[in-house]
Amino acid sequence: MIIRNLFTILFALIVFVSCSTSEESPEEPQRPNILFIMSDDHAYQAISAYSNHLIETPNIDRIAKEGMLFTNASVTNSICAPSRATILTGKHTHIHGKVDNRRPFDSTQVTFPQLFQKAGYQTAMYGKLHFGNNPKGVDDFMILPGQGNYINPKFITPEGDTTIEGYVTDIITDLTLGWLEEGRDKEKPFMMMYLHKAPHRPWWPRPDKFAEFTKKQFPEPPTLFDNYEGRGTAARDAEMNILMHQRYSHDSKIRPETLEAMGDVEPYVEPLPWDEFYGPYNRATPAQKALYDPTLDSINSWFKENWAGLSMEDKMRWKYQRYMQDYLACISSVDDNIGRVLDYLEESGLAENTIVIYTSDQGFYLGEHGWFDKRFIYDESFKTPLLIRWPGVVTPGSRTTEMVQNLDFAQTMLEMADIPAPDDMQGESLVPLLKGQNDLWTREEVYYHYYEYPAVHMVKRHYGIVTEEYKLIHFYYDVDEWELFDRKKDPMEMHNVYNDPDYAEVVADLTIRLGKLRQKYGDSEALDSMYIKLHFEE
């Protein structure tokens, strides 16, 4: 009896101690989920967290209010597919090989989703990848083929192609929410890539946004009528002027029949096939066309009655407004849908342990210097929006002016998830900045290189170095021209001071630093020549 009681007491003590130890021992930290949101060609000027002079984006702004806004985030090469390849690999375009939209992506490159997948994360990609049809390292995907379509888009899936009726921005969000709610393994952390097509050209808003925004007028940028005086040939030779190069049917939504009935329309813009209008329009069902037609009729009636009597300046102003109406209407849908996703994270309880990143594959010109499109190292295309919310880590409402790049995104997300980054990645993790440890951030300049010339928009090949104060650019191949801009004194980049004696020491210093950057990242004149040769052989 005594022995039995001793065993009983001993067992009780063991249970008590083990329970006490279990209750007091800290739980293993839960790995964060990551939601990476990227739009296509979303200018930072069209996010009200940066400036509300064009549009209010309250949902994207929520990420900045609850996290950090980067005011000097940039790309390494301002063109879609190369930028996306840099984000996936953490390498400059001359290293991963996708220097332009023409060359295929090197599928032997390791991408950060593969590393997340290997580390036990569940991974998914919904929306626009832009290249390839079998993304690496994702457990689930539905991606648009190539550029994709706004209206009733087709998707590539592991099971084959499928077409979904509706508006692309809404559909990509529906698919994303569906996966978050029902498609994932809720026992695993996730890394989700939620990738919008919008606001890529040609801009087809949802019918209700189309009707709403065509009634709006937007402020003109101060440089809308830039004549490029005092700069080199690159700015003057580029073919991305809103008046001269945006197409009446493709961009301004003038029906081909309207143009045909009017005869010669000035300024002359090289016509495209009727399919440039009817390709997107005829994807719509009769019911959808009935929603688009009243707005299209209004635009075409006004154009037919008034165009010939306008001065060239007023024609530029009209085309600028048509551009902004459609572009910003597409942005409005993106913002609405991001709000749906952020609301879901809150309502489901996921928000507390989910890092949210919002960016674009590059910037975009919204009439600055008279332009649309991107490609240049000038700020509107070189800079990209970047907003990061990391609950419990990032101080809400914080901002940083440090020079960061899309080159850094892969390593940043890997460190967030405590996954080792490969040694050949070339970026730097932004985690010290996000934690407020600015003394650990030592980068003072970034490197840029654009290759796709001669090609659409005719932006010359160039590379350069950018600091918070200055930007030094070398245009090469068919020219040998240098530009220097004082980013503090000349934020609109109107005055090339490369030959100004007052900046001689700046030029000398930046030229040396540019050479060191090219060496650091493995770029060289030999590679420049190789990519020129490959461009013409393909």
Side-chain angles (χ1 to χ4, degrees):
M1 177 68 73
I2 293 172
I3 294 174
R4 183 183 300 167
N5 287 341
L6 285 173
F7 275 115
T8 302
I9 293 168
L10 183 60
F11 177 75
L13 283 171
I14 292 170
V15 171
F16 174 77
V17 171
S18 64
C19 288
S20 300
T21 304
S22 176
E23 288 172 2
E24 292 174 5
S25 62
E27 292 184 5
E28 184 177 331
Q30 186 179 3
R31 291 187 290 177
N33 305 309
I34 296 177
L35 177 64
F36 180 79
I37 312 171
M38 184 166 67
S39 298
D40 195 309
D41 291 344
H42 190 174
Y44 66 90
Q45 313 93 285
I47 295 176
S48 48
Y50 287 94
S51 171
N52 65 355
H53 74 290
L54 287 173
I55 190 173
E56 294 288 344
T57 52
N59 295 298
I60 297 173
D61 291 0
R62 283 166 61 183
I63 304 171
K65 288 175 183 175
E66 298 166 4
M68 179 175 284
L69 180 104
F70 292 76
T71 62
N72 261 320
S74 65
V75 297
T76 65
N77 183 353
S78 185
I79 188 169
C80 297
S83 179
R84 290 162 185 267
T86 289
I87 289 169
L88 287 169
T89 64
K91 300 174 186 176
H92 275 277
T93 50
H94 63 272
I95 299 296
H96 62 63
K98 189 137 187 72
V99 297
D100 54 35
N101 277 340
R102 299 172 56 192
R103 294 184 57 76
F105 178 62
D106 177 4
S107 60
T108 67
Q109 293 284 333
V110 174
T111 66
F112 78 83
Q114 291 175 275
L115 301 173
F116 270 88
Q117 190 181 54
K118 186 177 180 180
Y121 269 72
Q122 191 169 21
T123 58
M125 179 185 292
Y126 287 87
K128 182 176 179 179
L129 174 61
H130 190 271
F131 57 84
N133 59 8
N134 188 19
K136 297 168 64 177
V138 292
D139 300 312
D140 296 286
F141 68 88
M142 290 184 71
I143 57 172
L144 300 165
Q147 294 290 359
N149 289 285
Y150 280 101
I151 304 169
N152 303 332
K154 183 170 76 171
F155 286 87
I156 299 168
T157 79
E159 291 76 35
D161 295 352
T162 185
T163 297
I164 302 176
E165 185 173 320
Y167 186 66
V168 68
T169 308
D170 299 331
I171 293 168
I172 291 170
T173 304
D174 292 341
L175 296 171
T176 298
L177 289 172
W179 187 84
L180 289 172
E181 177 62 26
E182 299 176 357
R184 66 188 176 92
D185 179 350
K186 296 184 181 180
E187 299 300 314
K188 292 183 178 181
F190 65 80
M191 193 287 295
M192 155 66 78
M193 301 188 76
Y194 166 42
L195 310 175
H196 284 292
K197 169 185 169 56
H200 195 279
R201 183 190 189 201
W203 310 282
W204 277 85
R206 203 173 63 189
D208 58 327
K209 299 284 188 182
F210 191 35
E212 175 190 353
F213 275 73
T214 51
K215 297 180 177 65
K216 296 177 181 284
Q217 292 287 301
F218 298 95
E220 297 172 3
T223 59
L224 182 63
F225 294 97
D226 191 352
N227 61 10
Y228 317 116
E229 286 184 0
R231 280 154 286 168
T233 59
R236 294 195 300 271
D237 289 356
E239 296 179 359
M240 42 201 259
N241 182 270
I242 292 171
L243 177 63
M244 302 306 298
H245 302 115
Q246 276 196 356
R247 303 188 181 275
Y248 296 109
S249 292
H250 187 247
D251 299 309
S252 299
K253 310 297 186 296
I254 305 304
R255 291 190 177 103
E257 300 96 321
T258 303
L259 293 170
E260 192 173 71
M262 291 173 66
D264 293 334
V265 174
E266 293 294 333
Y268 176 77
V269 178
E270 187 70 32
L272 286 172
W274 279 35
D275 192 51
E276 293 296 327
F277 175 86
Y278 282 108
Y281 177 76
N282 282 341
R283 294 191 64 83
T285 65
Q288 290 168 334
K289 287 179 180 178
L291 297 174
Y292 277 110
D293 283 343
T295 307
L296 289 168
D297 290 344
S298 175
I299 293 168
N300 279 260
S301 295
W302 190 97
F303 185 87
K304 189 173 183 178
E305 293 169 9
N306 295 281
W307 188 254
L310 298 180
S311 67
M312 285 298 178
E313 280 195 1
D314 285 340
K315 288 178 178 180
M316 174 64 141
R317 291 191 166 99
W318 184 88
K319 289 186 81 173
Y320 167 76
Q321 292 299 332
R322 276 277 49 251
Y323 169 31
M324 286 299 93
Q325 288 162 359
D326 290 351
Y327 179 92
L328 295 172
C330 292
I331 296 291
S332 183
S333 287
V334 170
D335 188 69
D336 288 349
N337 279 280
I338 287 172
R340 292 173 60 201
V341 174
L342 295 179
D343 288 346
Y344 173 79
L345 294 179
E346 296 288 346
E347 293 160 4
S348 65
L350 285 169
E352 186 178 343
N353 193 42
T354 299
I355 298 166
V356 178
I357 301 169
Y358 184 81
T359 191
S360 174
D361 51 358
Q362 63 261 317
F364 213 69
Y365 291 100
L366 304 184
E368 298 88 1
H369 307 291
W371 289 335
F372 65 105
D373 207 70
K374 55 251 184 183
R375 301 166 195 269
F376 275 111
I377 195 175
Y378 305 139
D379 267 5
E380 290 81 10
S381 60
F382 165 73
K383 288 174 63 174
T384 190
L386 179 60
L387 308 86
I388 300 179
R389 184 179 80 180
W390 189 355
V393 176
V394 174
T395 301
S398 53
R399 300 167 71 94
T400 181
T401 62
E402 298 288 352
M403 301 299 300
V404 306
Q405 283 192 299
N406 59 353
L407 184 71
D408 305 322
F409 294 175
Q411 282 167 268
T412 299
M413 286 183 273
L414 289 168
E415 183 173 348
M416 287 170 162
D418 198 25
I419 301 171
D423 292 338
D424 62 349
M425 281 189 173
Q426 296 181 303
E428 297 180 34
S429 169
L430 306 179
V431 167
L433 295 177
L434 293 167
K435 290 183 174 180
Q437 300 169 338
N438 289 20
D439 56 323
L440 300 179
W441 184 261
T442 58
R443 180 194 284 159
E444 295 182 351
E445 66 267 311
V446 295
Y447 181 63
Y448 179 94
H449 199 153
Y450 174 80
Y451 297 84
E452 193 170 290
Y453 175 87
V456 62
H457 298 304
M458 297 300 284
V459 173
K460 295 183 184 296
R461 295 172 185 246
H462 59 289
Y463 56 83
I465 179 175
V466 186
T467 70
E468 286 193 44
E469 295 82 17
Y470 300 106
K471 182 178 295 182
L472 178 68
I473 312 162
H474 182 211
F475 293 95
Y476 69 96
Y477 169 61
D478 61 336
V479 293
D480 181 11
E481 296 178 352
W482 291 81
E483 292 182 347
L484 174 70
F485 293 97
D486 187 322
R487 301 184 74 205
K488 300 293 187 182
K489 294 181 180 179
D490 180 24
M492 290 187 285
E493 298 174 316
M494 298 290 286
H495 307 289
N496 174 19
V497 293
Y498 182 79
N499 293 313
D500 186 331
D502 291 341
Y503 288 88
E505 290 184 8
V506 174
V507 169
D509 175 57
L510 288 179
T511 301
I512 293 170
R513 289 165 68 180
L514 175 58
K516 289 180 178 178
L517 272 186
R518 278 170 65 82
Q519 186 176 22
K520 172 184 176 180
Y521 290 123
D523 205 1
S524 64
E525 290 186 6
L527 277 178
D528 297 346
S529 298
M530 182 190 78
Y531 282 121
I532 289 170
K533 185 173 183 290
L534 288 174
H535 179 85
F536 288 102
E537 286 180 348
E538 292 175 346

